[in-house]
Amino acid sequence: GPNGRLSVRHVEEVVPMDREAAVFAITDAIATEDPARALGVLHLLLRQDTAALALVGFLTSHYRSLARIDDAQRSGVGRDDVASAAGVHPYRAQKMTAQLRTMGAGRLERAIAALDEADAILKSSAFGDGKAAERRWMEQLMLALCRGQRLRLAAGPTALRSL
């Protein structure tokens, strides 16, 4: 690094982040409403050529697992049996339970709705000009998730005529 010093950014630029760690890094940032961190991890993944649609898929899977854990907890499943009831590894269940504690009412449902909207947008032939549009939509998705909102179509109602 410059002046013989390394920063986290220097390391992140040369060491690829594994997908599970990236999903938890983004979802932890979202849960704590830290858009700067969520966008930072997003940009790191996009620089590593992670496909936007694949990332939406990973995040959707994560949030659906959160929903299964939430359902298991609400139905009275014991703490030790939540992972099994939700179909996730106990370590993941523990981390996800911690994330659920930080989420306000309705936030999980809005996150899943925003991810479904992002999936539809990215699969649309009218969503925009390739990588630059993917990046913009993914940035909007991260901000919506951090704010606990659904995805807002910044390009206006005619942007997705094909949907």
Side-chain angles (χ1 to χ4, degrees), residues 48 51 58 95 105 137-138 147 155 163:
Q48 293 177 357
F58 298 137
K95 284 196 61 108
W137 282 114
M138 291 302 294
R147 294 174 181 149
L163 291 180

Side-chain angles (χ1 to χ4, degrees), residues 25-157:
I26 286 177
T27 56
D28 284 345
I30 290 166
T32 59
E33 300 177 16
D34 185 351
R37 180 70 180 144
L39 289 169
V41 175
L42 170 68
H43 292 154
L44 174 66
L45 289 169
L46 294 177
R47 279 195 309 271
Q48 293 177 357
D49 290 328
T50 302
L53 197 54
L55 183 54
V56 168
F58 298 137
L59 290 170
T60 300
S61 175
H62 180 84
Y63 278 94
R64 292 191 193 281
S65 293
L66 282 172
R68 287 193 304 275
I69 288 172
D70 189 47
D71 288 344
Q73 290 175 333
R74 289 176 190 268
S75 69
V77 171
R79 190 177 120 189
D80 294 336
D81 298 323
V82 168
S84 179
V88 299
H89 189 277
Y91 175 75
R92 287 189 72 210
Q94 183 180 13
K95 284 196 61 108
M96 292 172 140
T97 299
Q99 285 182 345
L100 280 169
R101 277 190 231 115
T102 66
M103 299 177 112
R107 193 141 179 226
L108 180 58
E109 294 80 9
R110 287 189 301 274
I112 291 171
L115 288 159
D116 287 346
E117 291 166 347
D119 182 71
I121 289 164
L122 292 171
K123 289 178 179 173
S124 169
S125 62
F127 89 95
D129 60 350
K131 291 285 184 193
E134 266 187 10
R135 180 183 166 121
R136 285 191 305 271
W137 282 114
M138 291 302 294
E139 288 170 345
Q140 287 184 40
L141 174 63
M142 291 301 110
L143 293 174
L145 292 172
C146 286
R147 294 174 181 149
Q149 300 173 339
R150 296 208 32 187
L151 189 59
R152 305 267 187 251
L153 300 179

